[in-house]
Amino acid sequence: MAMKNIVMRAAGARLLQRGGCSNAAALRGPARWSSSTQTGFTVSVTDDDMHDAPPPTMGDGGVTPFLGVKPADTSPALESCMVSPDAHPTWKLFRLLDEDGHLVEGASMPPSVSAEEWVRMYKAMVSQQEMDTIFYGSQRQGRVSFYMTATGEEAIHIGSAAALAFDDPVYAQYREAGVIMWRGFTKQQFADQCFSNVRDLGKGRQMPIHVGSSEHHFHTISSPLSTQIPQAVGAAYALKQEGRDNVAMCFFGEGAASEGDFHAALNFAGTLEVPIVFFCRNNGYAISTPTHEQYRGDGIASRAVGYGMHAIRVDGNDMAAVYAATKAARELAISNSCPVLIEAMTYRVGHHSTSDDSSRYRSIDEIKKWKEDVDPISRFRNYLEKEGLWSQDEDTQLRSDERLEVLKALEAAETAGKPSLEEMFTDVFDEKPAHLVEQEEAMLAHIAKYPDKY
């Protein structure tokens, strides 16, 4: 035959794949086409250069192999070829701790994490919760214009952040404040950003809690849904080209997974075989739209199969499980140069934002039940207390200290001056183009003409 490296193996054997992503689609890697017939053999083409290869000839079973699909037997029975979504198994949920903080049967904590580190991670969850509570209140007082909390989702942010390398680039949505907090972004920096003062790294040009910091390898958050997902794939491709031992980490909600950018990004990631971890927070609601109105499939993890990538569904309220899942996904993505999708199941206890009243589309009883029964912070505190690593007195003192630190940061941020108006026209171009120079001059002339208005 004209093609090189033809491999014949027993049916059911794994396709040859570059990088070893064993559940990847047949398109990935050298295995460009394959066929399985009733003769019991699988034919896999493993030639890296298929551009000028002639089409495959008819195989022993009388079936010409089709491009771009996995091997399968043929059948004249239409009903056997019509696959129902109910025929696929339900996706399992990875969990280490139950709702009361006990290790589930057969589980053990990740050995790479010390007792001191678990305590640090717990403190970070509390810190995020206290900051959210006070910043939310400051918006209600009219001190800042907008805010979004992560109440009920703290384990997702801290558990995943702790499993990453510090220089793994992060592309977040707008609820991942805990991720950059774990990397050292201070409460004062959060407060300065929310007040858009002179110390704000974004120079007052972003909505509150839309943070970003090159020092922390955290790309600036953008409000429009899903824009960060294809951008993260591009970053991952650059990491691959540079040969770095890093992944691009991309966060988004299940609502964002309904956007076209999500599907385009996953397809690019699969075909380009890039080291990226897609992290979906499935918290039950896309603003006011519940999941049963968003999709009909088995969550978001089930979509990974169609794009030829690994996936894991994890209990997002179990910080230990989130850490273990993220660490495993990161290692797989780097070692095999392939994308991995994580779906973290959780519940958004708070309103979508300060612009939302969630009581209009869900009951107070529903919120109360999730807050009391499945709270991630209470779950992990129970685990620490059972292990003798934490106490109620320590918890009371921690919360008091955190609240005081946040309040001091707010006071300092509120009294700081605002960025110069000239900053409206900086940081986009290396040299200001003529149209921006013209706009800036017009603005300054307007202010000079009406100084009592500004």
Coordinates of all heavy atoms in Angstrom, one line a residue, residues 42-78:
T42 N -8.5 -4.1 13.7 CA -8.5 -2.6 13.6 C -7.4 -2.2 12.8 O -6.2 -2.6 13.0 CB -8.4 -1.9 15.0 OG1 -9.5 -2.3 15.8 CG2 -8.4 -0.4 14.9
V43 N -7.6 -1.3 11.8 CA -6.5 -0.8 11.0 C -6.3 0.7 11.4 O -7.3 1.5 11.4 CB -6.9 -0.9 9.5 CG1 -5.8 -0.3 8.6 CG2 -7.2 -2.3 9.1
S44 N -5.1 1.1 11.7 CA -4.8 2.4 12.1 C -3.7 3.0 11.3 O -2.6 2.3 11.2 CB -4.4 2.5 13.6 OG -5.5 2.0 14.4
V45 N -3.9 4.1 10.7 CA -2.8 4.8 9.9 C -2.1 5.7 10.9 O -2.7 6.5 11.5 CB -3.4 5.6 8.7 CG1 -2.3 6.3 8.0 CG2 -4.1 4.6 7.8
T46 N -0.7 5.6 10.9 CA 0.0 6.3 11.9 C 1.1 7.2 11.2 O 2.0 7.6 11.8 CB 0.7 5.4 12.9 OG1 1.6 4.5 12.1 CG2 -0.3 4.6 13.6
D47 N 0.8 7.5 9.9 CA 1.8 8.4 9.2 C 1.5 9.8 9.6 O 0.4 10.3 9.5 CB 1.6 8.2 7.7 CG 2.6 8.9 6.9 OD1 3.6 9.4 7.5 OD2 2.5 8.9 5.6
D48 N 2.6 10.6 10.0 CA 2.4 11.9 10.3 C 2.1 12.9 9.2 O 1.6 13.9 9.3 CB 3.7 12.4 11.1 CG 3.7 12.1 12.5 OD1 2.7 11.5 13.0 OD2 4.6 12.4 13.2
D49 N 2.5 12.4 8.0 CA 2.3 13.3 6.8 C 1.3 12.6 5.9 O 1.6 11.8 5.1 CB 3.6 13.5 6.1 CG 3.5 14.5 4.9 OD1 2.4 15.1 4.8 OD2 4.5 14.7 4.2
M50 N 0.0 13.1 6.0 CA -1.1 12.5 5.3 C -1.5 13.4 4.1 O -2.5 13.0 3.5 CB -2.3 12.2 6.2 CG -2.0 11.2 7.3 SD -2.0 9.5 6.6 CE -3.7 9.4 6.1
H51 N -0.9 14.5 3.9 CA -1.4 15.5 3.0 C -1.6 14.9 1.6 O -2.5 15.2 0.9 CB -0.5 16.7 3.0 CG -0.4 17.3 4.3 ND1 -1.4 17.9 4.9 CD2 0.7 17.5 5.1 CE1 -1.1 18.4 6.1 NE2 0.2 18.2 6.2
D52 N -0.6 14.1 1.1 CA -0.6 13.6 -0.3 C -1.0 12.1 -0.4 O -0.8 11.5 -1.4 CB 0.8 13.9 -0.9 CG 1.1 15.3 -1.0 OD1 0.2 16.1 -1.2 OD2 2.3 15.6 -0.7
A53 N -1.4 11.6 0.7 CA -1.7 10.1 0.7 C -3.0 9.9 0.0 O -4.0 10.6 0.1 CB -1.8 9.6 2.1
P54 N -3.0 8.8 -0.8 CA -4.3 8.4 -1.5 C -5.3 7.9 -0.5 O -5.0 7.6 0.6 CB -3.8 7.3 -2.4 CG -2.7 6.7 -1.7 CD -2.0 7.8 -1.1
P55 N -6.6 7.9 -0.9 CA -7.6 7.4 0.1 C -7.4 6.0 0.3 O -6.9 5.2 -0.5 CB -8.9 7.7 -0.7 CG -8.5 7.7 -2.1 CD -7.2 8.3 -2.2
P56 N -7.8 5.5 1.5 CA -7.7 4.1 1.9 C -8.5 3.2 1.0 O -9.5 3.5 0.5 CB -8.1 4.0 3.4 CG -9.1 5.2 3.5 CD -8.5 6.3 2.6
T57 N -7.9 2.0 0.8 CA -8.7 1.0 0.0 C -9.6 0.2 0.9 O -9.5 0.2 2.1 CB -7.7 0.1 -0.7 OG1 -6.8 -0.6 0.3 CG2 -6.8 0.8 -1.7
M58 N -10.4 -0.6 0.3 CA -11.4 -1.4 1.0 C -10.7 -2.4 1.9 O -9.7 -3.1 1.5 CB -12.3 -2.1 0.1 CG -13.5 -2.8 0.8 SD -14.7 -3.4 -0.4 CE -15.4 -1.9 -1.0
G59 N -11.1 -2.5 3.2 CA -10.5 -3.5 4.1 C -11.0 -4.9 3.9 O -11.8 -5.2 3.1
D60 N -10.4 -5.8 4.8 CA -10.8 -7.2 4.7 C -12.2 -7.5 4.9 O -12.8 -8.4 4.4 CB -9.9 -8.0 5.7 CG -8.5 -8.0 5.3 OD1 -8.2 -7.7 4.1 OD2 -7.6 -8.2 6.2
G61 N -12.9 -6.6 5.7 CA -14.3 -6.9 6.0 C -15.2 -6.2 5.0 O -16.4 -6.2 5.2
G62 N -14.7 -5.6 4.0 CA -15.5 -5.0 3.0 C -16.0 -3.6 3.3 O -16.9 -3.1 2.7
V63 N -15.3 -3.0 4.3 CA -15.7 -1.7 4.7 C -14.6 -0.7 4.4 O -13.5 -1.0 4.9 CB -16.1 -1.6 6.2 CG1 -16.4 -0.2 6.6 CG2 -17.2 -2.6 6.5
T64 N -14.8 0.3 3.7 CA -13.8 1.3 3.4 C -13.7 2.2 4.6 O -14.7 2.8 5.1 CB -14.2 2.2 2.2 OG1 -14.3 1.3 1.1 CG2 -13.1 3.2 1.9
P65 N -12.6 2.4 5.3 CA -12.4 3.2 6.5 C -12.8 4.6 6.2 O -12.3 5.2 5.2 CB -10.9 3.0 6.8 CG -10.5 1.8 6.1 CD -11.3 1.7 4.9
F66 N -13.6 5.3 7.1 CA -13.9 6.6 6.9 C -13.0 7.5 7.7 O -12.4 7.1 8.8 CB -15.4 6.9 7.4 CG -16.4 6.3 6.5 CD1 -17.0 5.1 6.8 CD2 -16.8 7.0 5.4 CE1 -17.9 4.5 5.9 CE2 -17.7 6.5 4.5 CZ -18.3 5.2 4.8
L67 N -12.7 8.7 7.2 CA -11.9 9.7 7.9 C -12.5 10.3 9.1 O -13.7 10.6 9.1 CB -11.4 10.8 6.9 CG -10.7 10.3 5.6 CD1 -10.5 11.5 4.8 CD2 -9.4 9.6 6.0
G68 N -11.8 10.4 10.2 CA -12.2 11.3 11.3 C -13.2 10.6 12.3 O -13.8 11.3 13.1
V69 N -13.3 9.3 12.3 CA -14.2 8.7 13.3 C -13.5 7.5 13.9 O -12.6 6.9 13.3 CB -15.6 8.2 12.7 CG1 -16.4 9.4 12.2 CG2 -15.3 7.3 11.5
K70 N -13.9 7.1 15.0 CA -13.4 5.9 15.7 C -13.9 4.6 15.0 O -15.0 4.6 14.4 CB -13.7 5.9 17.2 CG -13.0 7.0 17.9 CD -13.2 6.8 19.4 CE -12.4 7.8 20.2 NZ -12.7 7.7 21.7
P71 N -13.2 3.5 15.1 CA -13.6 2.3 14.5 C -14.9 1.8 15.1 O -15.2 1.9 16.3 CB -12.5 1.3 14.7 CG -11.8 1.9 16.0 CD -11.9 3.3 15.9
A72 N -15.8 1.2 14.2 CA -17.0 0.6 14.7 C -17.5 -0.4 13.7 O -17.2 -0.4 12.5 CB -18.1 1.7 14.8
D73 N -18.2 -1.4 14.2 CA -18.8 -2.4 13.4 C -19.9 -1.9 12.5 O -20.6 -0.9 13.0 CB -19.3 -3.6 14.2 CG -18.2 -4.4 14.8 OD1 -17.0 -4.3 14.3 OD2 -18.4 -5.0 15.9
T74 N -20.2 -2.5 11.4 CA -21.4 -2.1 10.6 C -22.6 -2.9 11.0 O -22.5 -3.9 11.6 CB -21.1 -2.3 9.1 OG1 -20.9 -3.7 8.9 CG2 -19.9 -1.5 8.7
S75 N -23.8 -2.4 10.7 CA -25.0 -3.1 11.0 C -26.1 -2.7 10.0 O -26.2 -1.5 9.7 CB -25.5 -2.8 12.4 OG -26.7 -3.4 12.7
P76 N -26.9 -3.6 9.6 CA -28.0 -3.3 8.7 C -29.3 -2.9 9.5 O -30.3 -2.5 8.9 CB -28.3 -4.6 7.9 CG -27.9 -5.7 8.9 CD -26.7 -5.1 9.6
A77 N -29.2 -3.0 10.8 CA -30.3 -2.7 11.7 C -30.3 -1.3 12.1 O -29.4 -0.8 12.8 CB -30.3 -3.6 12.9
L78 N -31.2 -0.5 11.6 CA -31.3 1.0 11.8 C -31.3 1.3 13.3 O -30.7 2.2 13.8 CB -32.4 1.6 11.1 CG -32.6 3.1 11.3 CD1 -31.4 3.9 10.9 CD2 -33.8 3.6 10.5

